[in-house]
Amino acid sequence: SHNQVLALIKFSMVVNESVFSLVDKSRRNYSFSKKFKVPINIPTFMDALTAIKWYRENVACTSRYYWFNICSYFARGTIEIRLHQGTVDKNEINNWIELWAKLFKYITENTNIVLDNGDILYWARLASVSNKTIKFYEQQRIKFQ
């Protein structure tokens, strides 16, 4: 639904800074997985569809290389997380899939939650991401400081 997509957009803006702590520093200023330049405030008076269109015109499709890319949503109905570097490490791949699958499920099932914490691992805990995966990303944060 449009409310679910809007909730994911708002979530991506809230974790815009902390999400980069999970990946190698080389990804932080990488031209193909950029941070949002400034905090974007989607006008709150808009219905979900109008807000998504506003976001598309004012933020999302100004660059398809933001780490959270929804340009493809408007063409193909998909959302792309462009942050993780290439790897063949199945542990990294499985952790990444679990993290984002559970975060997306949690956010889309709770579209009215107050997004008042910018730490992605805070949300991972609420989304029931496994302790093993959370510990992995806590170690990644230390490694990539």
Side-chain angles (χ1 to χ4, degrees):
S1 80
H2 299 303
N3 287 328
Q4 291 172 315
V5 173
L6 184 59
L8 289 171
I9 291 168
K10 289 178 178 180
F11 175 74
S12 74
M13 292 177 181
V14 168
V15 299
N16 185 44
E17 292 294 327
S18 77
V19 71
F20 283 85
S21 69
L22 305 183
V23 295
D24 188 87
K25 286 182 181 179
S26 66
R27 304 301 287 182
R28 294 183 191 171
N29 291 315
Y30 190 58
S31 56
F32 297 107
S33 60
K34 298 188 255 182
K35 287 182 186 178
F36 301 117
K37 291 181 184 165
V38 293
I40 308 295
N41 292 316
I42 296 172
T44 56
F45 60 86
M46 296 178 177
D47 64 86
L49 179 58
T50 305
I52 292 167
K53 288 178 181 177
W54 179 91
Y55 179 78
R56 175 185 63 197
E57 293 165 10
N58 293 282
V59 182
C61 296
T62 59
S63 172
R64 68 183 180 127
Y65 297 120
Y66 287 123
W67 73 268
F68 181 87
N69 174 28
I70 68 159
C71 278
S72 61
Y73 173 75
F74 304 106
R76 293 177 287 288
T78 61
I79 295 173
E80 177 183 27
I81 304 297
R82 305 181 52 87
L83 191 58
H84 204 287
Q85 68 276 6
T87 185
V88 293
D89 182 315
K90 78 175 187 179
N91 186 45
E92 276 191 55
I93 294 167
N94 288 336
N95 287 334
W96 193 249
I97 291 169
E98 180 192 0
L99 176 70
W100 287 104
K102 289 189 176 177
L103 283 171
F104 272 41
K105 184 177 190 298
Y106 180 78
I107 297 301
T108 58
E109 288 178 351
N110 299 281
T111 58
N112 292 323
I113 58 172
V114 176
L115 297 169
D116 58 354
N117 189 315
D119 181 11
I120 193 160
L121 293 183
Y122 167 85
W123 295 106
R125 288 178 183 90
L126 289 179
S128 300
V129 171
S130 70
N131 288 332
K132 175 184 89 49
T133 297
I134 289 174
K135 285 186 189 312
F136 174 82
Y137 284 115
E138 288 172 340
Q139 291 169 346
Q140 293 293 85
R141 278 187 166 168
I142 292 166
K143 178 180 168 182
F144 298 136
Q145 279 182 343

